[in-house]
């Protein structure tokens, strides 16, 4: 249902690189069109690749146990690169289709080295050793479903023991309308995969939200609605138990699709995990919604709304939330970005108080070099914008 709208997903804002990766000490506004001044940092390495890293998600992780992080990033022509911290290519794995999700790294077999799992846009989930060699001994790679014309994996796999057997499991949703869960040894778990009847862009979160000792699977999805389906058009926040059964109080229905990846944390200090997620922009882009997708949602473990949520934002919120006690006051905050779709909405970065939904601050985001004069915000408790910014003259 959604593949034909990939061009509407604001790729310029999500791109990591065009045809090369640049590794730096800190992220600057480093182009000849920006006034970088003191924010500039020395380029550590520059590596030419076979294709664009557009929309890739870079993973930094010490996968081989040498005490130094590697960087993993996939290209649009199907190469997963593993770079050293110095920017040298450690290995490259060709998979035959675009890689748009990130790599998940986890020591699944307890040998002190992490395995690497990711999906491609042919709907294949790959498992590699830390040396880039396919884990064929455990039955990887795995093919996910094609439903009509819909196939592919945009999400990053989640890894954790969801059924309490002491074995790491690999969980991922796909465009082909299913959510899968395998043991790392390759066996599909009982009760899985689950047919969600529509595309999944969201990466799953694994969290024991009911404190029964087993992790639930929390993931966002699309919903077309229609005859024989109990949910209206929009988005669905799914929560599944270890056996694939639906958790009570879910799914939650939203007017806009949920392409954002949920985060779980105790945001209100009640001792339970809450679920926080943004939206997407399919129904906004097609003209079916105005600003109903400009939201950040938070639900309690029983499916009820958290106090002060949903929070209204300035744009769509496909950006996945980051949660932490930023100001060290004992209450967690939620950081998330939003963006415009067509002529609706605006680029913003927001910080939201977890226990109330109160906006701590809101900053204007750059959104990319456009050549137009913009305001660079100075944050205050009330979100006041005081300073200005403009591209440097050439």
């Amino acid at each position: 249902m959604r593949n034909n709208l990939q061009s509407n997903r604001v790729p310029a804002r999500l791109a990591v690189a065009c045809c090369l990766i640049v590794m730096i000490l800190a992220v600057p506004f480093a182009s000849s069109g920006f006034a970088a001044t003191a924010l500039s940092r020395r380029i550590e390495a520059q590596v030419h690749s076979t294709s664009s890293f557009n929309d890739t998600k870079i993973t930094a992780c010490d996968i081989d146990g040498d005490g130094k992080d590697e960087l993993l990033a996939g290209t649009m022509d199907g190469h997963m690169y593993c770079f050293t911290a110095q920017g040298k290519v450690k290995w490259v794995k060709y998979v035959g289709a675009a890689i748009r999700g990130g790599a998940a790294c986890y020591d699944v077999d307890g040998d002190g080295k992490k395995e690497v799992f990711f999906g491609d846009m042919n709907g294949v989930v790959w498992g590699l050793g830390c040396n880039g060699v396919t884990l064929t001994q455990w039955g990887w790679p795995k093919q996910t479903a094609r439903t009509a014309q819909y196939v592919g994996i945009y999400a990053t796999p989640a890894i954790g023991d969801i059924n309490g057997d002491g074995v790491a499991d690999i969980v991922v949703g796909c465009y082909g309308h299913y959510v899968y869960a395998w043991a790392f040894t390759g066996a599909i778990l009982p009760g899985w995969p689950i047919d969600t009847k529509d595309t999944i862009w969201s990466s799953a979160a694994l969290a024991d939200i009911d404190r029964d000792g087993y992790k639930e699977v929390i993931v966002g999805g699309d919903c077309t609605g229609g005859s024989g389906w109990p949910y209206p058009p929009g988005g669905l926040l799914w929560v599944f138990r270890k056996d694939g059964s639906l958790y009570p109080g879910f799914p939650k229905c939203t007017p806009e699709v949920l392409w954002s990846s949920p985060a779980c944390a105790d945001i209100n200090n009640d001792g339970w995990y809450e679920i926080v997620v943004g939206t997407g922009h399919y129904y906004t882009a097609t003209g079916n919604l105005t600003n109903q997708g400009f939201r950040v949602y938070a639900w309690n473990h029983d499916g009820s709304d958290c106090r002060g949520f949903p929070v209204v934002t300035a744009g769509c919120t496909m950006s996945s939330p980051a949660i932490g006690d930023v100001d060290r006051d004992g209450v967690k905050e939620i950081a998330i970005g939003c963006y415009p779709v067509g002529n609706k909405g605006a680029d913003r970065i927001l910080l939201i108080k977890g226990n109330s939904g109160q906006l701590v601050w809101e900053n204007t985001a750059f959104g990319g070099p456009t050549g137009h004069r913009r305001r660079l915000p100075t944050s205050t408790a009330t979100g006041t914008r005081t300073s200005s910014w403009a591209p440097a003259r050439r």
Side-chain angles (χ1 to χ4, degrees):
M1 166 179 154
R2 311 291 182 228
N3 291 16
N4 61 337
L5 276 185
Q6 289 176 6
S7 61
N8 289 328
R9 298 191 60 258
V10 204
R13 294 186 176 89
L14 299 177
V16 176
C18 184
C19 289
L20 51 84
I21 271 189
V22 176
M23 298 173 191
I24 52 180
L25 293 174
V27 179
F29 306 116
S31 89
S32 59
F34 288 87
T37 62
L39 294 177
S40 295
R41 296 293 184 268
R42 179 170 58 90
I43 293 175
E44 290 293 295
Q46 181 170 294
V47 182
H48 289 274
S49 70
T50 57
S51 177
S52 167
F53 287 93
N54 178 60
D55 210 13
T56 194
K57 289 79 183 171
I58 298 177
T59 301
C61 185
D62 178 10
I63 61 174
D64 56 8
D66 66 353
K68 300 176 182 178
D69 282 350
E70 284 74 40
L71 299 176
L72 296 139
T75 64
M76 294 299 287
D77 70 347
H79 290 84
M80 175 59 74
Y81 280 82
C82 178
F83 299 98
T84 68
Q86 291 73 40
K88 298 185 182 301
V89 177
K90 200 161 195 174
W91 51 258
V92 182
K93 177 68 176 180
Y94 178 65
V95 301
I99 302 168
R100 302 186 67 189
C105 305
Y106 195 94
D107 182 7
V108 297
D109 59 354
D111 68 350
K113 298 179 180 180
K114 294 182 175 66
E115 286 69 40
V116 178
F117 295 87
F118 61 93
D120 69 33
M121 297 311 292
N122 276 339
V124 178
V125 181
W126 293 85
L128 309 180
C130 66
N131 57 0
V133 175
T134 305
L135 300 171
T136 55
Q137 71 272 28
W138 296 331
W140 300 94
K142 301 289 187 182
Q143 179 67 56
T144 61
R146 175 188 290 271
T147 301
Q149 72 270 36
Y150 305 114
V151 64
I153 297 171
Y154 184 83
T156 299
I159 305 178
D161 180 8
I162 66 171
N163 59 2
D165 64 355
V167 173
D169 305 309
I170 317 301
V171 180
V172 71
C174 69
Y175 279 5
H177 302 181
Y178 285 85
V179 180
Y180 288 82
W182 297 274
F184 82 85
T185 51
I188 193 75
L189 298 190
W192 302 80
I194 300 162
D195 185 0
T196 62
K197 305 298 182 184
D198 215 319
T199 47
I200 300 287
W201 295 60
S202 172
S203 301
L206 310 180
D208 183 7
I209 64 172
D210 59 359
R211 302 191 300 197
D212 68 348
Y214 300 100
K215 292 181 175 68
E216 282 70 45
V217 175
I218 303 101
V219 66
D222 296 359
C223 186
T224 305
S227 177
W229 187 237
Y231 310 114
L236 294 170
L237 192 284
W238 297 97
V239 179
F240 301 107
R241 294 190 183 275
K242 61 178 181 176
D243 60 359
S245 60
L246 195 59
Y247 186 88
F250 294 87
K252 304 303 295 184
C253 301
T254 60
E256 183 58 276
V257 295
L258 297 184
W259 292 344
S260 174
S261 298
C264 297
D266 182 4
I267 62 173
N268 56 12
N269 292 337
D270 66 351
W272 298 82
Y273 280 125
E274 286 75 44
I275 301 166
V276 182
V277 72
T279 61
H281 66 247
Y282 177 82
Y283 288 106
T284 304
T286 54
N288 293 283
L289 298 177
T290 53
N291 66 351
Q292 296 92 328
F294 299 2
R295 300 288 187 275
V296 177
Y297 293 93
W299 292 287
N300 294 301
H301 70 281
D302 61 0
S304 60
D305 289 341
C306 291
R307 184 167 71 95
F309 288 85
V311 172
V312 178
T313 62
C316 288
T317 52
M318 184 179 175
S319 168
S320 299
I323 301 175
D325 184 4
V326 175
D327 55 7
R328 299 183 182 180
D329 67 346
V331 178
K332 292 181 176 67
E333 288 78 36
I334 300 160
I336 194 166
C338 67
Y339 57 92
V341 177
N343 60 355
K344 306 169 187 173
D347 286 298
R348 297 287 189 272
I349 300 171
L350 304 93
L351 191 70
I352 301 164
K353 207 68 178 176
N355 63 353
S356 65
Q358 178 184 356
L359 186 65
V360 179
W361 53 254
E362 176 182 353
N363 280 352
T364 302
F366 289 114
T370 63
H372 299 292
R373 190 174 186 89
R374 297 222 178 174
R375 300 282 293 177
L376 177 62
T378 298
S379 303
T380 70
T382 58
T384 304
R385 301 170 182 83
T386 57
S387 62
S388 63
W389 170 90
R393 295 183 182 275
R394 302 194 202 186

